[in-house]
Amino acid sequence: MKKLEQLYEGKAKKVYSTEDPNVVIVSYKDDATAFDGLKKGTITGKGAINNQMTNFLMQQLEKVGVPTHYVQELSDRDTAVKKVSIIPLEVIIRNVSAGSFAKRFGVEEGIVFDAPTIEFSYKNDDLHDPLMNAYHAVALKLATWDEIDTIKKYAFAVNDFLKKTLLECGVTLVDFKLEFGKTADNTIVLADEISPDTCRFWDSKTGEKLDKDRFRRDLGNVEGAYQEMSRRLLGK
Ligand code: UDP
């Protein structure tokens, strides 16, 4: 499968058309941004790690009943995926307080919840991705109630699977962001990526951060954290 023309360039990926109108190629970049694009940088090797980690996890998720956009890994950085229209909701699941949750509610990071939480943000850069509830999403016709129910079911299934898989690698899954898309026949599938860019991973023993917070907060050894996650999860 070959790249035809570039359709889109985002902060961390480029998307290309292919001969198949139902398939596009995503190409993962080493570019990193944070704080609404205010902080910019490069994390060498990130694109390849995020690509391979996402593909590994999506293939496993298919087996536990979560449909995804994954089609075929083409190279270190490039993957063929189903062409979808992205539902403009960032779906965030949390197991432990951190980041914007800790800030918004005035609590410390590291509070372990009895049950995971779910929240939505409206994916809209101009508005800075405001928090949004399901009623708002339905009112704005971003999704139907049935679609919201499906998204919630899949998001919690991803959490169950990911939490367990990571625990076996000595990693606590603190929180993560998912995006869903609709295929040509209106099926909802998991899209985007699952990587240290979109999840918070803490070493289960030491609490060491093994994710993009090292970049956001200038903690150093950013590349090392991505490589460590690749070693633990992919064995390379
Ligand atoms: N997240 C993301 N993209 C975003 C916002 C958040 O991938 O645009 C991820 C983030 O990496 C974390 C989780 O979603 O794993 C929860 O992020 P939070 O709401 O705490 O926001 P942050 O503190 O990252 O601004």
Side-chain angles (χ1 to χ4, degrees), residues 75-120:
S75 74
D76 273 11
R77 285 171 190 278
D78 295 342
T79 296
V81 301
K82 290 176 193 156
K83 184 169 187 164
V84 298
S85 59
I86 292 286
I87 297 169
L89 290 175
E90 299 200 334
V91 181
I92 294 170
I93 298 272
R94 301 177 190 273
N95 297 300
V96 179
S97 67
S100 73
F101 181 97
K103 203 170 165 197
R104 175 173 300 117
F105 299 120
V107 296
E108 73 268 34
E109 296 199 311
I111 302 165
V112 180
F113 303 147
D114 290 339
T117 67
I118 189 165
E119 73 207 38
F120 303 110

mmCIF file of all heavy atoms in Angstrom, residues 75-120:
data_model
loop_
_atom_site.group_PDB
_atom_site.id
_atom_site.type_symbol
_atom_site.label_atom_id
_atom_site.label_comp_id
_atom_site.label_asym_id
_atom_site.label_seq_id
_atom_site.Cartn_x
_atom_site.Cartn_y
_atom_site.Cartn_z
ATOM 1 N N SER A 75 5.328 0.229 8.208
ATOM 2 C CA SER A 75 6.747 0.464 8.536
ATOM 3 C C SER A 75 6.805 0.934 9.983
ATOM 4 O O SER A 75 5.781 1.033 10.649
ATOM 5 C CB SER A 75 7.343 1.525 7.605
ATOM 6 O OG SER A 75 6.851 2.799 7.974
ATOM 7 N N ASP A 76 8.026 1.249 10.444
ATOM 8 C CA ASP A 76 8.213 1.754 11.811
ATOM 9 C C ASP A 76 7.208 2.833 12.198
ATOM 10 O O ASP A 76 6.722 2.866 13.319
ATOM 11 C CB ASP A 76 9.615 2.391 11.917
ATOM 12 C CG ASP A 76 10.651 1.358 12.268
ATOM 13 O OD1 ASP A 76 10.311 0.160 12.217
ATOM 14 O OD2 ASP A 76 11.794 1.760 12.571
ATOM 15 N N ARG A 77 6.988 3.741 11.257
ATOM 16 C CA ARG A 77 6.177 4.923 11.565
ATOM 17 C C ARG A 77 4.833 4.960 10.878
ATOM 18 O O ARG A 77 4.015 5.829 11.178
ATOM 19 C CB ARG A 77 6.915 6.189 11.083
ATOM 20 C CG ARG A 77 8.038 6.588 11.919
ATOM 21 C CD ARG A 77 8.825 7.698 11.253
ATOM 22 N NE ARG A 77 10.044 7.866 12.034
ATOM 23 C CZ ARG A 77 10.110 8.567 13.148
ATOM 24 N NH1 ARG A 77 9.076 9.244 13.570
ATOM 25 N NH2 ARG A 77 11.233 8.627 13.828
ATOM 26 N N ASP A 78 4.613 4.081 9.900
ATOM 27 C CA ASP A 78 3.437 4.201 9.030
ATOM 28 C C ASP A 78 2.481 3.029 9.210
ATOM 29 O O ASP A 78 2.907 1.868 9.217
ATOM 30 C CB ASP A 78 3.864 4.239 7.557
ATOM 31 C CG ASP A 78 4.686 5.469 7.234
ATOM 32 O OD1 ASP A 78 4.639 6.434 8.025
ATOM 33 O OD2 ASP A 78 5.375 5.454 6.201
ATOM 34 N N THR A 79 1.200 3.344 9.289
ATOM 35 C CA THR A 79 0.182 2.307 9.456
ATOM 36 C C THR A 79 -1.042 2.620 8.599
ATOM 37 O O THR A 79 -1.487 3.775 8.550
ATOM 38 C CB THR A 79 -0.229 2.207 10.946
ATOM 39 O OG1 THR A 79 0.904 1.778 11.697
ATOM 40 C CG2 THR A 79 -1.359 1.223 11.165
ATOM 41 N N ALA A 80 -1.551 1.581 7.945
ATOM 42 C CA ALA A 80 -2.813 1.711 7.214
ATOM 43 C C ALA A 80 -3.956 1.560 8.209
ATOM 44 O O ALA A 80 -3.951 0.628 9.024
ATOM 45 C CB ALA A 80 -2.898 0.631 6.135
ATOM 46 N N VAL A 81 -4.880 2.480 8.161
ATOM 47 C CA VAL A 81 -6.056 2.434 9.056
ATOM 48 C C VAL A 81 -7.319 2.704 8.244
ATOM 49 O O VAL A 81 -7.254 3.283 7.152
ATOM 50 C CB VAL A 81 -5.949 3.471 10.215
ATOM 51 C CG1 VAL A 81 -4.716 3.226 11.063
ATOM 52 C CG2 VAL A 81 -5.987 4.901 9.703
ATOM 53 N N LYS A 82 -8.458 2.259 8.795
ATOM 54 C CA LYS A 82 -9.731 2.557 8.135
ATOM 55 C C LYS A 82 -9.964 4.055 8.133
ATOM 56 O O LYS A 82 -9.686 4.731 9.132
ATOM 57 C CB LYS A 82 -10.881 1.885 8.903
ATOM 58 C CG LYS A 82 -10.894 0.389 8.779
ATOM 59 C CD LYS A 82 -11.991 -0.202 9.646
ATOM 60 C CE LYS A 82 -11.802 -1.697 9.756
ATOM 61 N NZ LYS A 82 -12.432 -2.245 10.976
ATOM 62 N N LYS A 83 -10.469 4.547 7.031
ATOM 63 C CA LYS A 83 -10.822 5.968 6.968
ATOM 64 C C LYS A 83 -12.090 6.178 7.788
ATOM 65 O O LYS A 83 -13.089 5.496 7.567
ATOM 66 C CB LYS A 83 -11.043 6.399 5.520
ATOM 67 C CG LYS A 83 -11.315 7.875 5.411
ATOM 68 C CD LYS A 83 -11.264 8.352 3.989
ATOM 69 C CE LYS A 83 -11.365 9.873 3.994
ATOM 70 N NZ LYS A 83 -10.960 10.440 2.731
ATOM 71 N N VAL A 84 -12.028 7.085 8.742
ATOM 72 C CA VAL A 84 -13.211 7.353 9.583
ATOM 73 C C VAL A 84 -13.437 8.859 9.657
ATOM 74 O O VAL A 84 -12.532 9.643 9.370
ATOM 75 C CB VAL A 84 -13.012 6.822 11.028
ATOM 76 C CG1 VAL A 84 -12.829 5.317 11.049
ATOM 77 C CG2 VAL A 84 -11.851 7.515 11.739
ATOM 78 N N SER A 85 -14.660 9.220 10.034
ATOM 79 C CA SER A 85 -14.839 10.618 10.442
ATOM 80 C C SER A 85 -14.742 10.629 11.959
ATOM 81 O O SER A 85 -15.429 9.877 12.659
ATOM 82 C CB SER A 85 -16.168 11.176 9.943
ATOM 83 O OG SER A 85 -17.224 10.425 10.449
ATOM 84 N N ILE A 86 -13.825 11.421 12.449
ATOM 85 C CA ILE A 86 -13.562 11.457 13.895
ATOM 86 C C ILE A 86 -14.721 12.168 14.606
ATOM 87 O O ILE A 86 -15.152 13.249 14.196
ATOM 88 C CB ILE A 86 -12.220 12.192 14.175
ATOM 89 C CG1 ILE A 86 -11.028 11.366 13.657
ATOM 90 C CG2 ILE A 86 -12.056 12.496 15.668
ATOM 91 C CD1 ILE A 86 -10.672 10.136 14.479
ATOM 92 N N ILE A 87 -15.230 11.522 15.647
ATOM 93 C CA ILE A 87 -16.231 12.160 16.508
ATOM 94 C C ILE A 87 -15.467 13.170 17.375
ATOM 95 O O ILE A 87 -14.497 12.789 18.035
ATOM 96 C CB ILE A 87 -16.953 11.100 17.367
ATOM 97 C CG1 ILE A 87 -17.711 10.136 16.439
ATOM 98 C CG2 ILE A 87 -17.885 11.748 18.381
ATOM 99 C CD1 ILE A 87 -18.257 8.902 17.120
ATOM 100 N N PRO A 88 -15.858 14.453 17.346
ATOM 101 C CA PRO A 88 -14.987 15.463 17.978
ATOM 102 C C PRO A 88 -15.098 15.509 19.503
ATOM 103 O O PRO A 88 -15.375 16.539 20.110
ATOM 104 C CB PRO A 88 -15.457 16.769 17.338
ATOM 105 C CG PRO A 88 -16.869 16.518 16.974
ATOM 106 C CD PRO A 88 -16.996 15.054 16.655
ATOM 107 N N LEU A 89 -14.888 14.338 20.111
ATOM 108 C CA LEU A 89 -14.895 14.231 21.575
ATOM 109 C C LEU A 89 -13.592 13.584 22.016
ATOM 110 O O LEU A 89 -13.199 12.558 21.456
ATOM 111 C CB LEU A 89 -16.049 13.342 22.042
ATOM 112 C CG LEU A 89 -17.466 13.866 21.885
ATOM 113 C CD1 LEU A 89 -18.459 12.772 22.284
ATOM 114 C CD2 LEU A 89 -17.682 15.110 22.749
ATOM 115 N N GLU A 90 -12.932 14.178 22.992
ATOM 116 C CA GLU A 90 -11.818 13.496 23.636
ATOM 117 C C GLU A 90 -12.423 12.762 24.822
ATOM 118 O O GLU A 90 -13.068 13.370 25.678
ATOM 119 C CB GLU A 90 -10.766 14.510 24.096
ATOM 120 C CG GLU A 90 -10.201 15.285 22.920
ATOM 121 C CD GLU A 90 -8.868 15.927 23.209
ATOM 122 O OE1 GLU A 90 -8.578 16.219 24.378
ATOM 123 O OE2 GLU A 90 -8.115 16.140 22.237
ATOM 124 N N VAL A 91 -12.252 11.452 24.831
ATOM 125 C CA VAL A 91 -12.849 10.617 25.870
ATOM 126 C C VAL A 91 -11.743 10.288 26.866
ATOM 127 O O VAL A 91 -10.757 9.641 26.504
ATOM 128 C CB VAL A 91 -13.432 9.337 25.245
ATOM 129 C CG1 VAL A 91 -14.077 8.472 26.311
ATOM 130 C CG2 VAL A 91 -14.426 9.694 24.143
ATOM 131 N N ILE A 92 -11.887 10.765 28.087
ATOM 132 C CA ILE A 92 -10.816 10.601 29.076
ATOM 133 C C ILE A 92 -11.282 9.713 30.228
ATOM 134 O O ILE A 92 -12.328 9.948 30.832
ATOM 135 C CB ILE A 92 -10.340 11.974 29.597
ATOM 136 C CG1 ILE A 92 -9.670 12.730 28.446
ATOM 137 C CG2 ILE A 92 -9.369 11.814 30.777
ATOM 138 C CD1 ILE A 92 -9.373 14.165 28.728
ATOM 139 N N ILE A 93 -10.494 8.667 30.454
ATOM 140 C CA ILE A 93 -10.750 7.750 31.572
ATOM 141 C C ILE A 93 -9.638 7.963 32.598
ATOM 142 O O ILE A 93 -8.480 8.105 32.228
ATOM 143 C CB ILE A 93 -10.720 6.279 31.089
ATOM 144 C CG1 ILE A 93 -11.808 6.013 30.051
ATOM 145 C CG2 ILE A 93 -10.809 5.320 32.265
ATOM 146 C CD1 ILE A 93 -13.141 5.601 30.593
ATOM 147 N N ARG A 94 -10.041 7.977 33.861
ATOM 148 C CA ARG A 94 -9.049 8.161 34.942
ATOM 149 C C ARG A 94 -9.211 7.087 36.002
ATOM 150 O O ARG A 94 -10.339 6.804 36.430
ATOM 151 C CB ARG A 94 -9.243 9.519 35.626
ATOM 152 C CG ARG A 94 -9.124 10.703 34.701
ATOM 153 C CD ARG A 94 -9.409 12.002 35.444
ATOM 154 N NE ARG A 94 -9.529 13.105 34.497
ATOM 155 C CZ ARG A 94 -8.508 13.841 34.046
ATOM 156 N NH1 ARG A 94 -7.289 13.599 34.474
ATOM 157 N NH2 ARG A 94 -8.706 14.818 33.170
ATOM 158 N N ASN A 95 -8.075 6.539 36.431
ATOM 159 C CA ASN A 95 -8.053 5.597 37.556
ATOM 160 C C ASN A 95 -7.452 6.234 38.806
ATOM 161 O O ASN A 95 -7.694 5.775 39.923
ATOM 162 C CB ASN A 95 -7.244 4.352 37.182
ATOM 163 C CG ASN A 95 -7.871 3.599 36.021
ATOM 164 O OD1 ASN A 95 -9.014 3.154 36.123
ATOM 165 N ND2 ASN A 95 -7.160 3.481 34.910
ATOM 166 N N VAL A 96 -6.645 7.265 38.592
ATOM 167 C CA VAL A 96 -5.883 7.928 39.662
ATOM 168 C C VAL A 96 -5.905 9.430 39.348
ATOM 169 O O VAL A 96 -5.811 9.819 38.180
ATOM 170 C CB VAL A 96 -4.417 7.415 39.659
ATOM 171 C CG1 VAL A 96 -3.596 8.094 40.742
ATOM 172 C CG2 VAL A 96 -4.349 5.894 39.822
ATOM 173 N N SER A 97 -6.013 10.273 40.363
ATOM 174 C CA SER A 97 -6.042 11.725 40.118
ATOM 175 C C SER A 97 -4.698 12.203 39.571
ATOM 176 O O SER A 97 -3.639 11.771 40.043
ATOM 177 C CB SER A 97 -6.387 12.481 41.395
ATOM 178 O OG SER A 97 -5.346 12.338 42.347
ATOM 179 N N ALA A 98 -4.768 13.096 38.591
ATOM 180 C CA ALA A 98 -3.558 13.700 38.018
ATOM 181 C C ALA A 98 -3.990 14.837 37.099
ATOM 182 O O ALA A 98 -5.186 15.013 36.834
ATOM 183 C CB ALA A 98 -2.746 12.669 37.220
ATOM 184 N N GLY A 99 -3.013 15.596 36.630
ATOM 185 C CA GLY A 99 -3.219 16.590 35.576
ATOM 186 C C GLY A 99 -4.372 17.536 35.829
ATOM 187 O O GLY A 99 -4.499 18.095 36.926
ATOM 188 N N SER A 100 -5.213 17.715 34.806
ATOM 189 C CA SER A 100 -6.283 18.710 34.889
ATOM 190 C C SER A 100 -7.321 18.351 35.947
ATOM 191 O O SER A 100 -7.983 19.228 36.491
ATOM 192 C CB SER A 100 -6.944 18.889 33.520
ATOM 193 O OG SER A 100 -7.751 17.785 33.207
ATOM 194 N N PHE A 101 -7.474 17.060 36.249
ATOM 195 C CA PHE A 101 -8.424 16.650 37.299
ATOM 196 C C PHE A 101 -7.959 17.192 38.656
ATOM 197 O O PHE A 101 -8.731 17.800 39.402
ATOM 198 C CB PHE A 101 -8.534 15.122 37.352
ATOM 199 C CG PHE A 101 -9.506 14.605 38.378
ATOM 200 C CD1 PHE A 101 -10.811 14.260 38.025
ATOM 201 C CD2 PHE A 101 -9.133 14.478 39.715
ATOM 202 C CE1 PHE A 101 -11.710 13.798 38.970
ATOM 203 C CE2 PHE A 101 -10.022 14.022 40.674
ATOM 204 C CZ PHE A 101 -11.309 13.678 40.301
ATOM 205 N N ALA A 102 -6.688 16.983 38.960
ATOM 206 C CA ALA A 102 -6.131 17.433 40.245
ATOM 207 C C ALA A 102 -6.228 18.954 40.353
ATOM 208 O O ALA A 102 -6.588 19.497 41.404
ATOM 209 C CB ALA A 102 -4.680 16.964 40.367
ATOM 210 N N LYS A 103 -5.953 19.627 39.231
ATOM 211 C CA LYS A 103 -5.982 21.092 39.215
ATOM 212 C C LYS A 103 -7.413 21.607 39.379
ATOM 213 O O LYS A 103 -7.686 22.466 40.224
ATOM 214 C CB LYS A 103 -5.405 21.557 37.873
ATOM 215 C CG LYS A 103 -4.859 22.950 37.908
ATOM 216 C CD LYS A 103 -4.094 23.263 36.636
ATOM 217 C CE LYS A 103 -3.892 24.764 36.558
ATOM 218 N NZ LYS A 103 -3.532 25.207 35.215
ATOM 219 N N ARG A 104 -8.338 21.053 38.586
ATOM 220 C CA ARG A 104 -9.718 21.537 38.585
ATOM 221 C C ARG A 104 -10.376 21.370 39.946
ATOM 222 O O ARG A 104 -11.107 22.245 40.396
ATOM 223 C CB ARG A 104 -10.520 20.789 37.511
ATOM 224 C CG ARG A 104 -12.002 21.143 37.501
ATOM 225 C CD ARG A 104 -12.778 20.537 36.336
ATOM 226 N NE ARG A 104 -12.267 20.981 35.056
ATOM 227 C CZ ARG A 104 -11.722 20.194 34.144
ATOM 228 N NH1 ARG A 104 -11.649 18.895 34.353
ATOM 229 N NH2 ARG A 104 -11.276 20.675 33.022
ATOM 230 N N PHE A 105 -10.110 20.232 40.606
ATOM 231 C CA PHE A 105 -10.811 19.936 41.851
ATOM 232 C C PHE A 105 -9.949 20.213 43.085
ATOM 233 O O PHE A 105 -10.367 19.933 44.208
ATOM 234 C CB PHE A 105 -11.331 18.502 41.827
ATOM 235 C CG PHE A 105 -12.309 18.262 40.701
ATOM 236 C CD1 PHE A 105 -12.059 17.309 39.732
ATOM 237 C CD2 PHE A 105 -13.469 19.027 40.592
ATOM 238 C CE1 PHE A 105 -12.946 17.109 38.671
ATOM 239 C CE2 PHE A 105 -14.362 18.831 39.542
ATOM 240 C CZ PHE A 105 -14.098 17.872 38.575
ATOM 241 N N GLY A 106 -8.778 20.758 42.876
ATOM 242 C CA GLY A 106 -7.934 21.176 43.999
ATOM 243 C C GLY A 106 -7.479 20.036 44.880
ATOM 244 O O GLY A 106 -7.486 20.150 46.109
ATOM 245 N N VAL A 107 -7.123 18.914 44.247
ATOM 246 C CA VAL A 107 -6.629 17.763 45.025
ATOM 247 C C VAL A 107 -5.222 17.396 44.552
ATOM 248 O O VAL A 107 -4.790 17.833 43.482
ATOM 249 C CB VAL A 107 -7.557 16.530 44.879
ATOM 250 C CG1 VAL A 107 -8.936 16.842 45.458
ATOM 251 C CG2 VAL A 107 -7.671 16.078 43.429
ATOM 252 N N GLU A 108 -4.516 16.623 45.353
ATOM 253 C CA GLU A 108 -3.175 16.195 44.953
ATOM 254 C C GLU A 108 -3.273 15.118 43.875
ATOM 255 O O GLU A 108 -4.341 14.513 43.688
ATOM 256 C CB GLU A 108 -2.372 15.698 46.166
ATOM 257 C CG GLU A 108 -2.791 14.345 46.711
ATOM 258 C CD GLU A 108 -3.824 14.405 47.831
ATOM 259 O OE1 GLU A 108 -4.698 15.316 47.809
ATOM 260 O OE2 GLU A 108 -3.784 13.518 48.696
ATOM 261 N N GLU A 109 -2.164 14.876 43.194
ATOM 262 C CA GLU A 109 -2.093 13.779 42.248
ATOM 263 C C GLU A 109 -1.872 12.481 43.027
ATOM 264 O O GLU A 109 -1.302 12.496 44.119
ATOM 265 C CB GLU A 109 -0.925 13.994 41.271
ATOM 266 C CG GLU A 109 -1.099 15.233 40.403
ATOM 267 C CD GLU A 109 -0.221 15.221 39.153
ATOM 268 O OE1 GLU A 109 0.986 14.950 39.270
ATOM 269 O OE2 GLU A 109 -0.760 15.459 38.056
ATOM 270 N N GLY A 110 -2.370 11.376 42.502
ATOM 271 C CA GLY A 110 -2.067 10.077 43.107
ATOM 272 C C GLY A 110 -3.186 9.482 43.955
ATOM 273 O O GLY A 110 -2.990 8.422 44.549
ATOM 274 N N ILE A 111 -4.360 10.140 43.998
ATOM 275 C CA ILE A 111 -5.489 9.541 44.723
ATOM 276 C C ILE A 111 -6.049 8.409 43.855
ATOM 277 O O ILE A 111 -6.462 8.638 42.715
ATOM 278 C CB ILE A 111 -6.604 10.565 44.978
ATOM 279 C CG1 ILE A 111 -6.080 11.770 45.778
ATOM 280 C CG2 ILE A 111 -7.793 9.913 45.680
ATOM 281 C CD1 ILE A 111 -7.009 12.969 45.747
ATOM 282 N N VAL A 112 -6.040 7.191 44.377
ATOM 283 C CA VAL A 112 -6.529 6.033 43.616
ATOM 284 C C VAL A 112 -8.048 5.965 43.774
ATOM 285 O O VAL A 112 -8.569 5.921 44.885
ATOM 286 C CB VAL A 112 -5.867 4.731 44.122
ATOM 287 C CG1 VAL A 112 -6.384 3.529 43.331
ATOM 288 C CG2 VAL A 112 -4.344 4.828 44.005
ATOM 289 N N PHE A 113 -8.770 5.985 42.669
ATOM 290 C CA PHE A 113 -10.235 5.949 42.708
ATOM 291 C C PHE A 113 -10.734 4.525 42.919
ATOM 292 O O PHE A 113 -10.124 3.567 42.453
ATOM 293 C CB PHE A 113 -10.822 6.496 41.399
ATOM 294 C CG PHE A 113 -10.382 7.900 41.050
ATOM 295 C CD1 PHE A 113 -10.231 8.284 39.725
ATOM 296 C CD2 PHE A 113 -10.131 8.841 42.043
ATOM 297 C CE1 PHE A 113 -9.833 9.571 39.388
ATOM 298 C CE2 PHE A 113 -9.728 10.137 41.721
ATOM 299 C CZ PHE A 113 -9.575 10.498 40.384
ATOM 300 N N ASP A 114 -11.901 4.403 43.582
ATOM 301 C CA ASP A 114 -12.532 3.085 43.757
ATOM 302 C C ASP A 114 -13.018 2.551 42.417
ATOM 303 O O ASP A 114 -13.028 1.346 42.181
ATOM 304 C CB ASP A 114 -13.725 3.188 44.707
ATOM 305 C CG ASP A 114 -13.281 3.460 46.135
ATOM 306 O OD1 ASP A 114 -12.103 3.179 46.446
ATOM 307 O OD2 ASP A 114 -14.094 3.970 46.928
ATOM 308 N N ALA A 115 -13.450 3.468 41.544
ATOM 309 C CA ALA A 115 -13.927 3.070 40.213
ATOM 310 C C ALA A 115 -13.456 4.132 39.226
ATOM 311 O O ALA A 115 -13.304 5.302 39.604
ATOM 312 C CB ALA A 115 -15.446 2.987 40.212
ATOM 313 N N PRO A 116 -13.205 3.740 37.970
ATOM 314 C CA PRO A 116 -12.718 4.718 36.995
ATOM 315 C C PRO A 116 -13.763 5.798 36.695
ATOM 316 O O PRO A 116 -14.961 5.552 36.806
ATOM 317 C CB PRO A 116 -12.448 3.874 35.746
ATOM 318 C CG PRO A 116 -13.239 2.624 35.922
ATOM 319 C CD PRO A 116 -13.340 2.391 37.399
ATOM 320 N N THR A 117 -13.293 6.987 36.317
ATOM 321 C CA THR A 117 -14.201 8.057 35.881
ATOM 322 C C THR A 117 -14.087 8.211 34.368
ATOM 323 O O THR A 117 -13.077 7.827 33.768
ATOM 324 C CB THR A 117 -13.835 9.407 36.525
ATOM 325 O OG1 THR A 117 -12.568 9.843 36.008
ATOM 326 C CG2 THR A 117 -13.765 9.293 38.043
ATOM 327 N N ILE A 118 -15.143 8.792 33.795
ATOM 328 C CA ILE A 118 -15.098 9.119 32.359
ATOM 329 C C ILE A 118 -15.503 10.573 32.192
ATOM 330 O O ILE A 118 -16.333 11.082 32.940
ATOM 331 C CB ILE A 118 -16.019 8.183 31.538
ATOM 332 C CG1 ILE A 118 -15.797 8.373 30.030
ATOM 333 C CG2 ILE A 118 -17.488 8.363 31.911
ATOM 334 C CD1 ILE A 118 -16.385 7.262 29.167
ATOM 335 N N GLU A 119 -14.873 11.251 31.272
ATOM 336 C CA GLU A 119 -15.280 12.618 30.933
ATOM 337 C C GLU A 119 -15.036 12.855 29.455
ATOM 338 O O GLU A 119 -14.264 12.127 28.816
ATOM 339 C CB GLU A 119 -14.527 13.642 31.795
ATOM 340 C CG GLU A 119 -13.087 13.803 31.414
ATOM 341 C CD GLU A 119 -12.195 14.266 32.568
ATOM 342 O OE1 GLU A 119 -12.392 13.835 33.724
ATOM 343 O OE2 GLU A 119 -11.277 15.041 32.292
ATOM 344 N N PHE A 120 -15.709 13.858 28.932
ATOM 345 C CA PHE A 120 -15.549 14.234 27.526
ATOM 346 C C PHE A 120 -15.047 15.664 27.448
ATOM 347 O O PHE A 120 -15.408 16.498 28.275
ATOM 348 C CB PHE A 120 -16.888 14.162 26.786
ATOM 349 C CG PHE A 120 -17.554 12.826 26.854
ATOM 350 C CD1 PHE A 120 -18.707 12.647 27.604
ATOM 351 C CD2 PHE A 120 -17.032 11.732 26.175
ATOM 352 C CE1 PHE A 120 -19.335 11.410 27.671
ATOM 353 C CE2 PHE A 120 -17.647 10.491 26.238
ATOM 354 C CZ PHE A 120 -18.796 10.332 26.983
#
